[in-house]
């Protein structure tokens, strides 16, 4: 019941979890606020599109669009930071 199924929780290497989380937080913090909320809700807390939609009072389709935009915006900074080599 207490199992962590978030993106960070699924990482195998316990030693790198905190380092990766810190790096991700730094990169995510550069996104617009709504993008940050969606990314953290979906990948840190494991919420569904519908749950995020209800929380933000928007449709699940709009949440999906925001998530897609955010992921595109995260790609280059994550790549440049060396995050891909850590995971």
């Amino acid at each position: 019941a207490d199992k962590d199924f978030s993106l960070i929780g699924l990482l195998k290497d316990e030693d790198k979890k905190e380092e990766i989380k810190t790096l991700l937080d730094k990169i995510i913090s550069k996104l617009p606020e709504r993008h940050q909320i969606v990314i953290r809700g979906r990948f840190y807390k494991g919420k569904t599109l519908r749950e995020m939609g209800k929380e933000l009072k928007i449709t699940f389709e709009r949440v999906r669009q925001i998530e897609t935009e955010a992921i595109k915006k995260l790609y280059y900074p994550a790549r440049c930071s060396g995050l891909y080599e850590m995971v």
Side-chain angles (χ1 to χ4, degrees):
D2 292 331
K3 192 125 171 93
D4 184 0
F5 289 108
S6 67
L7 181 64
I8 298 297
L10 293 174
L11 293 174
K12 301 270 188 254
D13 190 344
E14 291 291 329
D15 295 335
K16 289 188 178 181
K17 278 186 184 182
E18 197 57 41
E19 181 182 356
I20 290 170
K21 186 177 183 312
T22 301
L23 186 55
L24 274 172
D25 284 338
K26 183 178 177 183
I27 294 169
I28 290 169
S29 71
K30 295 178 183 176
L31 292 173
E33 184 179 0
R34 187 171 266 191
H35 289 63
Q36 290 181 41
I37 292 167
V38 169
I39 291 297
R40 287 191 172 109
R42 295 279 289 141
F43 297 105
Y44 282 33
K45 299 174 184 171
K47 292 184 178 181
T48 66
L49 292 171
R50 290 195 193 283
E51 289 170 335
M52 291 304 305
K54 285 180 184 177
E55 182 178 315
L56 296 170
K57 296 184 174 98
I58 57 177
T59 66
F60 77 92
E61 176 58 24
R62 183 63 187 131
V63 174
R64 188 196 62 75
Q65 292 168 357
I66 293 169
E67 177 184 87
T68 300
E69 291 169 10
I71 290 170
K72 286 178 183 177
K73 289 179 181 187
L74 289 171
Y75 178 78
Y76 184 73
R79 189 100 178 146
C80 291
S81 70
L83 184 61
Y84 283 94
E85 289 77 32
M86 291 183 192
V87 180

